């Protein structure tokens, strides 16, 4: 992510320190992670201590300090999904994208995580990709959905 783009995002918020979380969220959304040099740039431009930014970036789950894939896949392993075959769905997703939960593929295309409930248990088994919910999954349907992402 180039410095010019980071500056544009910061300037959009009038360079106010109170917009720190908003700035971090926008950069995370666009770049999929927060490199250290980006955090330093934000600290400098917003005149906020680097340690404070680092604390926020590590505290909230929405932020990542390591590279993430363009698509974030969350497979629900909660009870309602589990009893409807979430484990088999997860196995198929892992096989389709070649990574395990907590990992990102080398092409930075997908990151995979498991979660305990996505709040739509009636649709189980469920997975979410980039905040879009895919429900009533079978292993085959999950693989088909994964295949639609570039
Ligand atoms: S247990 Fe999977 S959505 Fe609630």
């Amino acid at each position: 992510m180039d410095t010019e783009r980071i500056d544009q995002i910061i300037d959009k918020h009038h360079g106010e320190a109170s917009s720190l979380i908003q700035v971090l969220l926008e950069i995370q959304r666009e770049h999929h992670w927060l490199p250290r040099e980006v955090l330093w740039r934000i600290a400098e431009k917003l005149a906020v201590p680097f340690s404070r930014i680092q604390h926020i970036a590590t505290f909230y789950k929405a932020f990542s300090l390591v590279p993430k894939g363009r698509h974030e896949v969350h497979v629900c392993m909660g009870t309602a999904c589990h009893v409807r075959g979430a484990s088999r769905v997860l196995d198929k997703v892992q096989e389709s994208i070649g990574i395990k939960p907590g990992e990102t593929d080398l092409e930075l295309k997908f990151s995979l995580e498991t979660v305990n409930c996505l709040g739509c248990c009636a649709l189980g088994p469920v997975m979410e990709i980039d905040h879009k919910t895919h429900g009533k999954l079978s292993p085959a349907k999950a693989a088909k959905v994964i295949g639609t992402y570039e």
Side-chain angles (χ1 to χ4, degrees):
M1 188 171 210
D2 60 36
T3 310
E4 202 178 311
R5 181 62 192 135
I6 296 162
D7 289 353
Q8 277 175 1
I9 292 172
I10 294 169
D11 294 344
K12 200 169 93 185
H13 295 278
H14 312 292
E16 287 170 16
S18 59
S19 61
L20 173 60
I21 290 184
Q22 207 50 46
V23 167
L24 290 172
L25 281 170
E26 271 191 51
I27 294 172
Q28 171 74 43
R29 192 165 43 236
E30 213 168 282
H31 193 57
H32 308 292
W33 71 293
L34 303 171
R36 197 173 173 80
E37 57 274 19
V38 168
L39 300 187
W40 275 111
R41 183 69 183 168
I42 297 169
E44 185 189 330
K45 290 271 291 178
L46 293 182
V48 170
F50 180 81
S51 58
R52 190 171 146 217
I53 298 179
Q54 199 173 28
H55 175 74
I56 290 171
T58 49
F59 183 79
Y60 292 104
K61 238 189 143 193
F63 302 123
S64 175
L65 296 173
V66 294
K68 286 280 182 183
R70 294 191 300 284
H71 304 295
E72 294 195 33
V73 182
H74 293 112
V75 177
C76 181
M77 298 303 287
T79 308
C81 289
H82 180 74
V83 298
R84 292 185 181 127
S87 296
R88 286 183 292 114
V89 168
L90 178 62
D91 286 348
K92 192 65 180 179
V93 169
Q94 290 183 132
E95 184 192 312
S96 300
I97 60 182
I99 54 174
K100 291 184 170 30
E103 295 179 348
T104 295
D105 68 359
L106 292 175
E107 293 168 5
L108 298 181
K109 185 173 175 187
F110 291 109
S111 291
L112 175 62
E113 298 287 348
T114 55
V115 293
N116 291 326
C117 185
L118 287 166
C120 47
C121 308
L123 295 178
V126 177
M127 73 175 166
E128 206 180 72
I129 304 180
D130 302 338
H131 306 291
K132 184 175 190 304
T133 302
H134 301 274
K136 304 233 182 253
L137 293 172
S138 62
K141 188 175 169 189
K144 202 171 164 191
V145 169
I146 289 284
T148 63
Y149 285 82
E150 304 263 314

